[in-house]
Amino acid sequence: MSTDSELRERAARVIPGGMWGHLDASKLPEGYPQFFSRGEGGHVWDANGQRYVDLMCSWGPIVLGHHDPAVDAAARRQADLGDTLNGPAPVLVELAERLVDRIPAADWAMLQKNGTDATTACVTIARAATGRGTILMARGSYHGAAPWCTPVPTGTTEADKANQLRFEYNDVASLQAAADAAGGDLAAILVTAFKHDNVVDQEMPTPEFAAAARAICDRKGAALIVDDVRAGFRIHPGGTWETVGVRPDLSAWSKAIANGHTLAAVTGKDALREAASRVFVTGSFWFSSVAMAAAVATLDELERRDVVGHIASLGQRLRDGLAERARGANVGLRQSGPVAMPLFLFDGDADFAMGRAFCTATLAEGAFLHPRHNMFLCAAHTEADIDAVLAAAEAGFEAVKTLR
Amino acid sequence: MSTDSELRERAARVIPGGMWGHLDASKLPEGYPQFFSRGEGGHVWDANGQRYVDLMCSWGPIVLGHHDPAVDAAARRQADLGDTLNGPAPVLVELAERLVDRIPAADWAMLQKNGTDATTACVTIARAATGRGTILMARGSYHGAAPWCTPVPTGTTEADKANQLRFEYNDVASLQAAADAAGGDLAAILVTAFKHDNVVDQEMPTPEFAAAARAICDRKGAALIVDDVRAGFRIHPGGTWETVGVRPDLSAWSKAIANGHTLAAVTGKDALREAASRVFVTGSFWFSSVAMAAAVATLDELERRDVVGHIASLGQRLRDGLAERARGANVGLRQSGPVAMPLFLFDGDADFAMGRAFCTATLAEGAFLHPRHNMFLCAAHTEADIDAVLAAAEAGFEAVKTLR
C-alpha cells in the first residue's frame, strides 16, 4: 500500500496539477489527506490508514453510511443480473414510481449521472416549455461545473453564460427586479434549495422569498426550478422547499439519492411533462441499473429509519456542543444553515487562518471537518461519533486560541 | 416479473413520453423490447425472457462482455473497500498511469462520468490553453447531448452554439475554409475518431484529412481534439487516430473504458497540462473508485486478450457473411466503417422500411441489431454468435424481399 505522499508524487506525473476539482486536497489546510482507502458506516480511512469520524460524507453522497447493508444488497442483486444493458431494467420504473410517490412536487422523473446533468436538463426543459431563454440565478449559488454554471470562468466564453440574470438569495426585491429585467423572456427561476454558497454563512430560504419566486413564475408562466442536488433527502424527505410550503415545477437531485452510487434525477410537475418528452438529454450510462437499485433501497431506508430526524438530532447535538465550547474558549464561531448540513466560520477570520488551524487540529484528533464548505451528517453517525468530534474540537479551539 | 408491455404502461405514467434519450424503444422498429432483465457475455435477455445475441453491447460500453470475471472481481474488491469517499482511492493513480502508458498521445489523464463531460472538458481546456473561443466541428458529428453539442436544439438557445464553425468530415478544403474563417480565434478542431454519424454511411478518417487537421492546429497554435468516446478501445488500443498516424492534443474517452461501469476520461499532451490544471471541472461522483478499478481491469484484459484483433476478425466474418447473403437475396446492402463497429444500410431505403423489416425479422430470430446506428462487437462474442446472427439475417433478407 502506497502512502498518501507517495501517491501524490505519482499523481503529479499523470494528473494535471496533481488533482482536479473540488476534491483537490492541495486547497485544504495542512494535514489533509488526498487519498482514501476505505469507508465504513460514518467513518473513513485515508491511504495512510488513519481513521476519521467523517463529517463530509463524500461531500454529500453518503447519507446512510458507507456499506449500508440494504443498499449493498440491492446493488449486488441488480449487478448479478446486469448493469448497463441495451435499455433500462425494470428497476427504472420502480425508481421513477418511488420518486413520484415520495416527492409531492413530482409527477414524473428522469435520470442522469451528475448533478450538473440534472440542473442542465431542468433549464433545457424550462426553455422548451416556455419557448423563452432567460434564467434567473442567485449571485454566488453553485449549480454545477459545466460552462454555463461553473464558478470558475477559465476556458469558458461569454456566450456560455448568456441569457442569465442574477438576484440575491432571499432578497425578494432583487428577485422581482431581475424578473422585471427579463420581461417577456423569463424561462425559469433556478434557485438552490437553501443558500449554501462557499465561504459565507448559510441561509434557509425564507417563506416570503420562496412564495415570491412561486408567484413570479405563476404570473409570468415561467418554471420554478429548485436545485436540491446538495440538500436533497437530508432536510425533508419530499424536497427541501416542503419546509417553506412551496412546490417547484422542476427539481434537480443527485448526491444522496443512491448513497454513493452515481446517479442524478430531475422530477417535475405534469405541466412540464410534454416539454420534458421533447428535449434530447441522454448519456451512455444514464440507463445503468445498479445505481437505480441502490437508489430504490436508499429511498426506502431513508423513510424506514427516519434519517432526516436522526441527522437533525445529531446535528443539533453538534451545534450545541460546538457553541458551548466556542463560548468556553471565548472564540466567535458562527454556525449557519440546517443542522444536518453544518457550516461553521470564525468571526474575524478573513484569511481562514483560524478555520485552517481548527481543522488541522481536529483532523489530527480523528475528526474530518471542512474549514469553509458545509458538511454532511449521515444515518450511520451516532451520538458517540458527535461526542468524539466535540472532543476533537477542544483541540481545535486550543489551536485557534494560540493564533491570538 | 412484469412483461415489457406492462412495464411500458407503468413507465408512461411516471416518465415523460414513456422513456427519454437514445434508448427510447418507441423510435425502434416493431418488436423491439424497451426493458432488459439481464446480460451475460455477448448475450442479453429482455424483460419477457427472450435471449438475443447482442450486437449493440449497450450502445458501446460492453467491450469484454457482460459479467466479465476479471472486471467483476476488480470492481467487487474495490467496492468492499469503498466507492465514493472524501477523495480518490489509490486506484485513481493506477488508472491514470495505465492510460498514459497505453495511449501514445497521453501524457496525463483526468476522469469524468459522461462522454459529454469529456468532450466538454476538452473544449474548456483548449479554450483555457489558447485564450480563444472558436471550435471547428464536423457537420452532423455527435459529441454529446449538452446544449452546446446536442443534435436536437429543443430547449437550447443560439448562444449555446456560439463560437462554433462547421466543416465536412474528411474534406480537407472545407476544414481549411473553416479554419480560415476562424482567423486568429481558433481554439480547437473537435473531430470524432471516425465518421459515425447517425443514418449515413460511416467513414474512417483519411490520412490526408487527419494530417491536415494536425497541420492546421500546429500552424495556428490550436488544439486537436479527437472524440474517441464511441470508438475508443475497439479500433486501436492506443486511440483510433493511431491508425492514421496522427496524435491529438486532447482525447475524449468513455463508453468501453470500464466495460459498462460509469466512467469517462480526458487524456492530453504535456503542452495542455498547465491549462488542464487551471480549469474547474468536477462532479460528485468523478472520484468514485469502483468504476476506476473496473477500468484498470478492462484495459488490462483488452491488452491481454487482444480484443481489438478478436472483434476485427469477428466483424469481418459478419461483414463477409452479410454481403454474401445480400448478394444471394439480390438486395443492395451497404456496410461501412470499421468491421468491429458495423453499420449496414439498404440501397433505396429512404424511409427505412427495409431496415425496419430486416431488423424486426432478425430480432425474432434472436439477433439484436440496429437499423440505422452503428453496432458494436465485444470480446465475449464467438464465431458461433456471428453465425447465429448470419442465420437470423437470412430471415431478415426474406422480409426485405417481400417489400419489393
Side-chain angles (χ1 to χ4, degrees):
Chain A
M1 192 59 132
S2 304
T3 64
D4 193 74
S5 60
E6 287 165 355
L7 289 163
R8 286 189 199 219
E9 276 177 39
R10 288 166 57 195
R13 287 194 281 274
V14 291
I15 294 171
M19 199 55 56
W20 69 91
H22 66 295
L23 297 190
D24 179 358
S26 73
K27 300 189 170 64
L28 284 170
E30 188 190 347
Y32 274 81
Q34 178 64 78
F35 291 92
F36 291 81
S37 57
R38 68 187 184 97
E40 196 64 51
H43 299 84
V44 287
W45 284 256
D46 67 22
N48 293 337
Q50 175 77 40
R51 174 184 178 271
Y52 306 96
V53 179
D54 175 20
L55 292 197
M56 282 311 286
C57 289
S58 313
W59 297 64
I62 300 301
V63 68
L64 298 172
H66 290 281
H67 292 130
D68 181 81
V71 176
D72 276 10
R76 196 169 302 115
R77 270 196 304 275
Q78 182 61 48
D80 286 346
L81 294 169
D83 185 11
T84 304
L85 299 162
N86 284 352
V91 70
L92 164 62
V93 180
E94 204 184 335
L95 175 55
E97 290 172 342
R98 201 70 103 256
L99 290 167
V100 167
D101 183 54
R102 299 285 160 80
I103 299 166
D107 294 320
W108 52 262
M110 298 165 73
L111 304 178
Q112 305 84 28
K113 285 291 156 187
N114 298 309
T116 308
D117 297 338
T119 56
T120 303
C122 285
V123 167
T124 305
I125 292 166
R127 284 175 170 156
T130 58
R132 307 174 196 160
T134 302
I135 309 294
L136 309 191
M137 297 160 69
R139 198 165 284 113
S141 285
Y142 182 78
H143 295 292
W148 71 268
C149 55
T150 179
V152 181
T154 310
T156 68
T157 68
E158 279 185 32
D160 290 327
K161 290 188 195 285
N163 303 302
Q164 298 176 7
L165 294 172
R166 304 284 159 173
F167 59 88
E168 303 296 328
Y169 202 101
N170 270 343
D171 181 334
V172 172
S174 80
L175 178 63
Q176 184 61 58
D180 291 346
D185 193 50
L186 183 64
I189 298 174
L190 169 62
V191 59
T192 52
F194 66 92
K195 180 176 172 169
H196 46 56
D197 308 349
N198 213 0
V199 187
V200 296
D201 294 332
Q202 303 191 122
E203 292 177 31
M204 288 299 287
T206 65
E208 297 70 30
F209 174 73
R214 181 69 273 171
I216 289 168
C217 287
D218 290 344
R219 197 163 61 239
K220 292 213 165 202
L224 176 60
I225 306 170
V226 168
D227 175 352
D228 230 330
V229 166
R230 194 184 300 182
F233 310 109
R234 276 195 165 85
I235 311 302
H236 188 290
T240 305
W241 279 36
E242 289 295 308
T243 63
V244 284
V246 167
R247 298 207 164 136
D249 299 302
L250 296 164
S251 301
W253 312 87
S254 182
K255 289 209 181 272
I257 192 170
N259 198 45
H261 288 261
T262 302
L263 197 68
V266 171
T267 58
K269 287 191 185 165
D270 270 329
L272 280 295
R273 184 191 287 261
E274 188 272 339
S277 75
R278 283 190 288 117
V279 303
F280 184 73
V281 290
T282 200
S284 294
F285 307 105
W286 290 18
F287 293 90
S288 300
S289 304
V290 171
M292 298 181 198
V296 169
T298 300
L299 293 173
D300 286 351
E301 287 300 297
L302 285 170
E303 183 170 89
R304 191 178 71 75
R305 297 158 67 180
D306 181 23
V307 171
V308 166
H310 174 74
I311 61 177
S313 161
L314 291 185
Q316 193 63 53
R317 186 183 187 90
L318 175 67
R319 184 159 297 189
D320 294 345
L322 285 176
E324 183 189 329
R325 283 160 183 77
R327 277 193 303 273
N330 199 25
V331 168
L333 184 75
R334 303 194 310 280
Q335 304 187 73
S336 59
V339 292
M341 295 173 63
L343 173 76
F344 57 78
L345 296 168
F346 288 90
D347 287 341
D349 191 32
D351 63 355
F352 287 100
M354 295 161 81
R356 281 200 304 273
F358 183 89
C359 284
T360 295
T362 50
L363 194 75
E365 299 291 319
F368 199 99
L369 310 175
H370 199 288
R372 56 182 184 274
H373 190 284
N374 74 268
M375 293 168 278
F376 301 87
L377 296 178
C378 78
H381 285 133
T382 63
E383 292 192 351
D385 289 329
I386 299 302
D387 294 345
V389 172
L390 291 172
E394 296 185 3
F397 287 117
E398 286 304 312
V400 169
K401 280 159 71 178
T402 66
L403 294 177
R404 290 191 292 210
Chain B
M1 192 58 131
S2 303
T3 63
D4 192 74
S5 60
E6 288 164 355
L7 288 163
R8 286 190 200 219
E9 278 177 38
R10 288 166 58 194
R13 288 194 281 274
V14 291
I15 294 171
M19 199 55 56
W20 70 90
H22 66 294
L23 297 189
D24 179 359
S26 73
K27 299 189 170 64
L28 284 170
E30 187 189 347
Y32 274 81
Q34 177 65 78
F35 292 92
F36 291 80
S37 58
R38 68 188 184 97
E40 196 64 50
H43 297 85
V44 287
W45 285 256
D46 67 23
N48 294 336
Q50 175 76 41
R51 173 183 179 273
Y52 305 96
V53 179
D54 175 21
L55 291 199
M56 283 310 286
C57 289
S58 312
W59 297 64
I62 301 300
V63 67
L64 297 173
H66 290 280
H67 292 131
D68 181 82
V71 176
D72 276 9
R76 197 168 303 117
R77 271 195 305 274
Q78 182 61 49
D80 286 346
L81 294 170
D83 185 10
T84 304
L85 299 162
N86 284 352
V91 70
L92 164 61
V93 180
E94 205 183 336
L95 175 55
E97 289 172 341
R98 201 71 103 255
L99 289 166
V100 168
D101 183 54
R102 299 287 159 77
I103 300 166
D107 294 320
W108 52 261
M110 296 166 73
L111 304 178
Q112 306 84 26
K113 285 292 155 187
N114 298 309
T116 307
D117 298 337
T119 56
T120 303
C122 285
V123 167
T124 304
I125 293 166
R127 284 176 170 156
T130 59
R132 306 174 196 160
T134 302
I135 309 293
L136 309 191
M137 300 160 66
R139 197 165 283 115
S141 285
Y142 182 78
H143 295 292
W148 71 268
C149 55
T150 178
V152 181
T154 309
T156 68
T157 67
E158 278 186 33
D160 290 327
K161 289 187 196 286
N163 303 304
Q164 298 175 6
L165 293 172
R166 304 283 158 173
F167 60 87
E168 302 296 328
Y169 203 101
N170 270 342
D171 181 334
V172 172
S174 80
L175 178 63
Q176 185 60 60
D180 291 346
D185 192 50
L186 182 64
I189 298 174
L190 169 61
V191 59
T192 52
F194 66 92
K195 181 176 172 169
H196 46 55
D197 309 348
N198 213 1
V199 186
V200 297
D201 295 332
Q202 303 190 121
E203 293 178 31
M204 288 300 285
T206 65
E208 297 71 29
F209 173 73
R214 181 69 272 171
I216 289 168
C217 288
D218 290 344
R219 198 163 60 240
K220 292 212 166 204
L224 176 59
I225 306 170
V226 168
D227 176 352
D228 229 330
V229 167
R230 196 185 298 182
F233 310 108
R234 275 194 165 85
I235 311 304
H236 188 290
T240 305
W241 279 35
E242 290 295 308
T243 63
V244 285
V246 168
R247 300 210 163 134
D249 299 303
L250 295 165
S251 301
W253 312 87
S254 183
K255 288 209 183 273
I257 192 169
N259 198 45
H261 288 261
T262 301
L263 197 69
V266 170
T267 58
K269 286 190 186 166
D270 270 329
L272 280 294
R273 185 190 286 260
E274 188 273 338
S277 74
R278 282 190 288 119
V279 303
F280 184 73
V281 290
T282 199
S284 294
F285 307 105
W286 290 19
F287 293 89
S288 300
S289 304
V290 171
M292 298 182 197
V296 169
T298 300
L299 293 174
D300 286 351
E301 288 300 298
L302 285 170
E303 182 169 89
R304 191 178 70 78
R305 296 158 69 179
D306 181 23
V307 171
V308 165
H310 175 75
I311 62 178
S313 161
L314 291 185
Q316 193 64 53
R317 187 182 185 91
L318 175 67
R319 184 159 298 187
D320 293 346
L322 285 175
E324 181 189 330
R325 283 160 183 80
R327 277 193 303 274
N330 200 24
V331 167
L333 184 75
R334 303 194 310 280
Q335 303 187 72
S336 58
V339 292
M341 295 174 62
L343 173 77
F344 56 78
L345 297 168
F346 289 90
D347 288 341
D349 191 31
D351 64 355
F352 286 100
M354 295 161 80
R356 281 201 304 274
F358 183 89
C359 284
T360 295
T362 50
L363 194 75
E365 299 292 320
F368 199 97
L369 310 175
H370 199 288
R372 56 181 184 276
H373 189 285
N374 73 266
M375 294 169 277
F376 301 87
L377 296 178
C378 77
H381 286 132
T382 62
E383 292 193 351
D385 289 329
I386 299 302
D387 293 345
V389 172
L390 291 173
E394 296 185 3
F397 286 117
E398 286 304 313
V400 169
K401 282 160 69 179
T402 66
L403 295 178
R404 291 190 294 210

